[in-house]
Amino acid sequence: MYESFAYIYDELMEEAPYDEWYEFFENSVKIYHHSAIMVLDVGCGTGEMLLRYLKNGYEAIGVDLSAHMLAVASEKINQSGFFCPLFELDMRSLDGLPKVDVVTVFCDSLNYLVAEKDVQSAFRQFAGVLKEDGLLLFDVHSRYKMNHIFHEATFAEDYGHLAYIWQTFPGPYRDSVEHELTFFVEKRPNCFEKMYETHLQRTFPVETYERWLKEADFEVLKICADFGREVSDQSERIFFIAKKRKF
């Protein structure tokens, strides 16, 4: 996944609410972990959140399953004059990483785990890499978004030198969606390359995430929607703040 997408991802995601994700992170740290220094960004992609952490004085580590996304992130971070260790790892296996104060998993990265046991495994890995009282911050697509907004929808955009068609279909699991992406990228004047990618995402009920977090030795501190609003039947993105329990 993200082989072709990685090198045009930032342009397509230009309107993504990275600043709102950072604000959510910063507010959560101020309330629940005043002394946080080191952040692990899981599913770091092209490094947009990593750059925000670094620019605001945090130390950061990035993890992603896509070597292509990490290559873009590495170049971007280096050109900005920062240093950040990057690891090509699966979020279900984070052994060997240093202990951190905060783990962030934003931009629905967790939704790429479609098996229940895999989400549970990821939560255990997050707990394992966190220091005592460390924070886990993540967001997921809501069931409403999966089953209504993403229900057999088509999105398209033409930037002139770049265009895409994004179609969504019900996935093979409950509360899942298949994203079929077709890109047209101008390689030289009036000559376009056509590329395809398919992505599968799944979400689970809020109560299920909450139960799995508790089973992984987290205390759930707050659940909200859409960057801090109260959860409703039509919320699109659900946010969780959890703290690793003391023993």
Side-chain angles (χ1 to χ4, degrees):
M1 292 191 300
Y2 287 110
E3 291 185 9
S4 306
F5 201 13
Y7 302 99
I8 56 176
Y9 184 84
D10 283 342
E11 191 166 4
L12 294 175
M13 293 287 285
E14 191 173 5
E15 301 299 321
Y18 292 115
D19 289 338
E20 292 182 76
W21 273 305
Y22 181 78
E23 184 179 359
F24 178 83
F25 160 83
E26 186 69 33
N27 289 339
S28 300
V29 167
K30 286 179 180 178
I31 296 171
Y32 300 110
H33 199 320
H34 306 285
S35 59
I37 297 171
M38 176 69 78
V39 184
L40 170 64
D41 191 30
V42 177
C44 66
T46 62
E48 281 296 316
M49 292 305 301
L50 290 172
L51 272 177
R52 283 163 173 78
Y53 300 145
L54 295 166
K55 288 178 179 178
N56 285 279
Y58 293 94
E59 297 177 32
I61 300 170
V63 165
D64 202 281
L65 194 57
S66 168
H68 301 274
M69 297 291 260
L70 290 172
V72 176
S74 177
E75 182 177 2
K76 183 189 300 184
I77 291 167
N78 290 338
Q79 287 179 351
S80 298
F82 293 101
F83 169 76
C84 177
L86 300 173
F87 297 91
E88 184 183 345
L89 290 173
D90 190 311
M91 68 178 75
R92 296 166 294 182
S93 182
L94 300 176
D95 295 340
L97 292 179
K99 296 287 186 178
V100 299
D101 301 300
V102 185
V103 171
T104 59
V105 197
F106 289 141
C107 198
D108 50 82
S109 295
L110 194 71
N111 289 130
Y112 282 96
L113 300 182
V114 298
E116 296 184 8
K117 63 181 179 62
D118 289 337
V119 180
Q120 293 171 294
S121 176
F123 285 164
R124 290 192 296 269
Q125 291 295 306
F126 301 155
V129 79
L130 280 168
K131 297 177 184 176
E132 193 172 87
D133 279 341
L135 288 183
L136 170 62
L137 311 175
F138 70 94
D139 68 85
V140 291
H141 289 312
S142 68
R143 298 175 71 196
Y144 171 78
K145 189 171 187 179
M146 287 293 202
N147 297 312
H148 295 275
I149 295 176
F150 282 151
H151 182 71
E152 296 184 347
T154 299
F155 310 91
E157 194 71 56
D158 184 353
Y159 298 93
H161 66 290
L162 168 66
Y164 71 85
I165 301 171
W166 167 19
Q167 295 176 288
T168 62
F169 304 93
Y173 309 101
R174 183 178 181 181
D175 301 324
S176 69
V177 62
E178 282 194 7
H179 305 274
E180 292 188 3
L181 302 153
T182 306
F183 305 99
F184 303 88
V185 182
E186 189 173 30
K187 294 298 184 179
R188 56 181 185 273
N190 299 316
C191 182
F192 288 78
E193 180 180 353
K194 186 177 183 181
M195 298 178 289
Y196 301 94
E197 289 202 11
T198 301
H199 297 248
L200 176 62
Q201 290 186 311
R202 185 184 185 187
T203 200
F204 298 91
V206 170
E207 299 77 16
T208 301
Y209 285 117
E210 189 173 13
R211 185 178 77 251
W212 290 341
L213 285 167
K214 291 177 180 177
E215 290 172 353
D217 294 321
F218 282 101
E219 175 189 357
V220 179
L221 302 176
K222 185 176 182 179
I223 301 172
C224 58
D226 302 325
F227 300 100
R229 298 179 180 86
E230 187 176 343
V231 177
S232 73
D233 291 341
Q234 295 188 3
S235 298
E236 295 186 24
R237 194 179 289 274
I238 310 298
F239 284 77
F240 293 79
I241 303 173
K243 177 180 284 191
K244 182 177 177 178
R245 288 179 183 152
K246 287 184 179 180
F247 291 97

